[in-house]
Amino acid sequence: MSHKAHPLDPLSAQEIDTIATLVKSCIKEKVLFRVITLVEPAKKELISFLDAEHSGSAAPHVTRKAMVHAYIGKAFHEIFVNVDKTEIISHEILRGKHSHVDAAYMAQVEDACLQDDKVQAEIKALELPEGALVIVEPWTYATDGMNDMNSRITMCWFYMRLCDHKDASYYAYPLDIVAEVSDIFKVLKVYRLATGASPTTSATDEARPFDQRKIHASSEYHPDLFNEQRTTTKPLLIDQPQGPSFEISGNSIAWEKWTMRLGFNYREGMTLHDIRYDNQSLFYRLSLSEMFVPYGDPRAPYPRKGAFDLGNDGAGVNANNLKLGCDCLGHIKYFNFWHTTSNGEPLQMPNVVCCHEQDDGILWKHTNFRTGNAVVTRSRLLVLQTIITVSNYEYVFIFYFGQDASIHYEVRATGILSTAPIDIGKQVPYGTVVAPGVLAPYHQHLFCLRIDPALDGHNNSFVVEDSVAMPYPDASNPFGVGYTTQSSIVEQEQGLDLDHTKNRTFKLINEKKRNSITGTPIGFKLLPYYSQPILAHPSSFHARRSEFGAHAVWVTRYRDSELYAAGTHTLQSLGGEGIASWITSRKGSEEANVRDEDIVVWHTFGSTHNPRVEDWPVMPCEKMVVGLKPVNFFEKNPGLDVRVSTQRENQSVLVGEKDPGKVQKENKKSKL
Amino acid sequence: MSHKAHPLDPLSAQEIDTIATLVKSCIKEKVLFRVITLVEPAKKELISFLDAEHSGSAAPHVTRKAMVHAYIGKAFHEIFVNVDKTEIISHEILRGKHSHVDAAYMAQVEDACLQDDKVQAEIKALELPEGALVIVEPWTYATDGMNDMNSRITMCWFYMRLCDHKDASYYAYPLDIVAEVSDIFKVLKVYRLATGASPTTSATDEARPFDQRKIHASSEYHPDLFNEQRTTTKPLLIDQPQGPSFEISGNSIAWEKWTMRLGFNYREGMTLHDIRYDNQSLFYRLSLSEMFVPYGDPRAPYPRKGAFDLGNDGAGVNANNLKLGCDCLGHIKYFNFWHTTSNGEPLQMPNVVCCHEQDDGILWKHTNFRTGNAVVTRSRLLVLQTIITVSNYEYVFIFYFGQDASIHYEVRATGILSTAPIDIGKQVPYGTVVAPGVLAPYHQHLFCLRIDPALDGHNNSFVVEDSVAMPYPDASNPFGVGYTTQSSIVEQEQGLDLDHTKNRTFKLINEKKRNSITGTPIGFKLLPYYSQPILAHPSSFHARRSEFGAHAVWVTRYRDSELYAAGTHTLQSLGGEGIASWITSRKGSEEANVRDEDIVVWHTFGSTHNPRVEDWPVMPCEKMVVGLKPVNFFEKNPGLDVRVSTQRENQSVLVGEKDPGKVQKENKKSKL
């Protein structure tokens, strides 16, 4: 970028190049870069900058810092760089830790696996159909306590493609062999998977040729491979004759009364900063902190399926290049960011975030029944969307900003189910048979949204409010219909649970700022997504590694280093380094106080995904939505001033009764 | 309608006229018609008709029957008519019951109230500001056990308007008097309301002049009355160059693979019938059965605020005349139905249901990371919307049909909060002060969606399925990560509760039909909306009258007479006539069996609405969404054949980086 970088702007191509050159100049060995990324300024420093920026006074200089992850030989290096001065601040080898997944590394694993004689012997023993192409799908190893934890291991699951088409879905043919590959690309073990109804949890070495009855043609999703394309859906276009309502400057977005700043990094992908409505500060930072996908099949080695799609894979590096008219409809602004190649060259990530508007039906309406006069406004949303692909699955992450000062965060899960082989005619109680010989095992998707509030200041409090019936019988409640709210302010860091039976409401408030109308502290409420906490036993590695999965809501005191709910280095992590551990380490101390402090709220939500056959061969989006809404923050409905809807502006078209399929064109022109 | 009526077609104008003439010819006294409405055919009879209709064979004749509600003097008459033969089938006086609310009657109550000397004396004692116009808002009387239950009583709440504009919001000035009016329009009582923080639940007679400090200008929603209209929202139009994708014939709707029949009646408003996907029967009937709005202010007479907006008011008679480009955007088909005047003349209800399409983002997507090829489809929805106004509140009721065979039912609550007076500077624990002197009391909105399934036949079963961790430690679960589902089929009628901690899933299944892929019974699952059950004490009139509020899910055996979850006549009902009473009456008998029987599932959901000041002076929509999704019903993703999205078809516009506010027009023409 040619303009002066904002402290929150991700690194530019030039900055990445400069940093890589610096690192290479200091290290004589071959450096395999994994990431060169902005280190966001310390909050204290950034607040000074933002305060100055908003007040129009001279902004203090904020040093731009970068973090470099690189492998030099087998050692995982972490280097911090002062970008302004082009100098290294610190340089450390992270022993016992692993970097996030490297596509090039995984490709090497695949090759090594396929070239291994033991593997080839197992493949041969499968007696696959003529023309079968075996495909190895390498997965990070979810710690199960059965291997040395310091060495990186990759689990290789086997599939095949029977069709020449390169986009034929190999997930339709899971094979019943598995291999473990070391970090020097050596196949450590090859063995057979349990594929029957038997409760055995051990893999078997019994040779079983591929069952020809599994061959089927109904598991393709690519339009080249089936000819059922429906032709009934007629085009629906978004026309914005005056262009979009947003204004973009660099990574700063202004829309209606909202302003915010977009960030992007290799790990969290899209992040949002300094979110204000009508010049009032609401949130310092919103981000997806982590996600975990633990599988529920208890048979070894399936407990090794447990993916941290942010910590292990990276929502940024796996972000899709979004396509106009495909992923997004209307007037679309795309944002590009820069990643790095393993040689340290800047690598553009184009169109990884899209920004557009959407109509959302009615915002508010009232008809005065005495006059018959209706006043109706339509709701317009600002949409910020990013989509990631992590092997088989896709996740769509969307922030919606409303004219009523609400924010909604939506996750859509789509893509292809991870599959495992199962014998024809068999069933297991922890999976669904979705095609002949194809088991889609039960699993959970656990997301953790990190909410760093700044409700008219950085010191905020967190309230748990239940709606409770008044005592009855009681003089204060003679008819038994009375109810009130019972609130408690959370004093110390903790995890909390949802309770819809009490209408449990979680509020972020600023105790020092009172609403002039209601007389109560200004606040926002969290509208949680109701879902099941992690099912894995608390002593299991799955649960210990994804501490955030145990409760739906967590409150912690802000710390610059605490962005990732399952800890910083999740790949083959051993547990004990996530949100619950932080809380335990400070429990009872002054450091754990969260009342009228700079706090962070974390919401864990997701789905217990027991697949349906309707999720196959590609899954229609499953939506999960979390909301943030003002509650006695403003003095009235913030969307009250949205213009009343008119046909003059909205030019809709009446579909005639006589000729229902056809449009009465003349109506398009009539202005009501 | 000139074409032959379908058995589910609401009565035509001609039929209403014929029936009214018949009734008037048989009764010599003055008949005050309340409703003339279709009696839907008995299910057994209708099934024969629908089966013949779908198989293309000769459909049996189904007698059209109508129900007439009318007052003759003070007596409430119910008359059933054979429409085909123009003859009365039965004629009964419903003693102790009341018809739904009559706007003309309520207007008479208002007049009587304002003309009453005691009322005028109380108004005078208020010493209202010059130019104040007192407005009486009559409410149905929610039984509280304090009055004779046979006589109809109307509660009159008082407001004032200070401004000449007829759409000035009088809810901004609740006055602290209340009157009770009899069914012969006699004011029975006038008294003062409790308006302070005192825990007294009795009204007071102390004279208190209007507090001038309550006068304010910030409670207007009508655009004539405030000049803050934002100008930042640029137009967003829906362009469907080939017209909509649906086809309408009479009240039959075909869209994508869906077919269904729209019904409409004075009470439930929009109903849906005979819902099929790809020619497979899914649901016999979907309808909002009832809704109840109990208020939580314990002070007499506020416990009399408890509104059955369907049973007392009618979602049909209160349906809005929807406006093109205002309530609906795009290519809109409107449906009109016929009601009746008090004289029995047909009264058209225009545009009470709108039908249109909506883009809903991504339906499914997958990128093959090995080829980089992305396949993405967009989700199109069919939207059927109706909006009702019940005094201060508006409700938007929407069915969404998806290309993946999902159905979502959305309720949006909007409009104006019901208000009560409160002294300046006071607070109460069961309400929010939203403007000077204006209390918005806590209340609940409890909706009951009636789901009558016909999953490949009318005999269905209901399953409760929890996701549960496998025992640990245990040989079957050595790593502690295994989980399975535990299912139980509901054998007898009952109410059931939600439990997100168990991922509790409610499935409708057909035990006799197995999915050829999964080997399990075909089914649909209910995606409930998590909300709090009724807070009123079980022995209160609120709870006894709205039995459906006690549980989130109910399963009953189908009966033609059981459409309304709080009973047939809710106005001043005494309880004991809703869904729990039906279940109790049959408990343990063969009649209560619901396994592999013709069953009905009822989902109670809603909101505990503790108002925010942001809900004032008009409330931005609060959304509640319930879903129905196939679960191992089809053999694969029903939306797999949706056409892949392309820019060629979707013609979106790239917003340029250089000139962010402006559209790069040339992009509109480029076909990718």
Side-chain angles (χ1 to χ4, degrees), chain A residues 167 230 232-234 256 325 332 371 373 380 394 427 518 612-614 630 632-634 641 650 653 655, chain B residues 167 230 232-234 256 325 332 366 371 373 380 427 518 612-614 630 632-634 641 650 653 655:
Chain A
D167 286 311
R230 64 174 83 172
T232 46
T233 324
K234 295 183 183 170
E256 297 289 81
I332 317 295
T371 63
N373 292 333
R380 186 73 60 83
E394 262 69 21
Q427 302 269 0
T518 61
R612 313 173 294 160
V613 69
E614 286 87 354
N632 304 327
F633 185 94
F634 298 96
D641 61 345
N650 289 329
V653 177
V655 176
Chain B
D167 287 309
R230 65 173 82 172
T232 46
T233 324
K234 295 183 183 171
E256 297 289 80
I332 317 295
H366 183 59
T371 63
N373 293 333
R380 184 74 60 81
Q427 300 269 2
T518 62
R612 313 173 295 159
V613 70
E614 286 86 355
N632 304 327
F633 185 93
F634 298 98
D641 61 344
N650 289 327
V653 177
V655 176

Side-chain angles (χ1 to χ4, degrees), chain B residues 133-153:
Chain B
L133 177 71
V134 173
I135 291 167
V136 171
E137 188 98 328
W139 274 51
T140 55
Y141 168 89
T143 311
D144 66 353
M146 301 299 284
N147 267 307
D148 171 10
M149 294 308 151
N150 283 324
S151 161
R152 180 160 171 196
I153 291 172

Side-chain angles (χ1 to χ4, degrees), chain A residues 423-440:
Chain A
D423 295 341
I424 293 283
K426 295 285 171 60
Q427 302 269 0
V428 290
Y430 23 70
T432 307
V433 174
V434 294
V438 185
L439 180 71

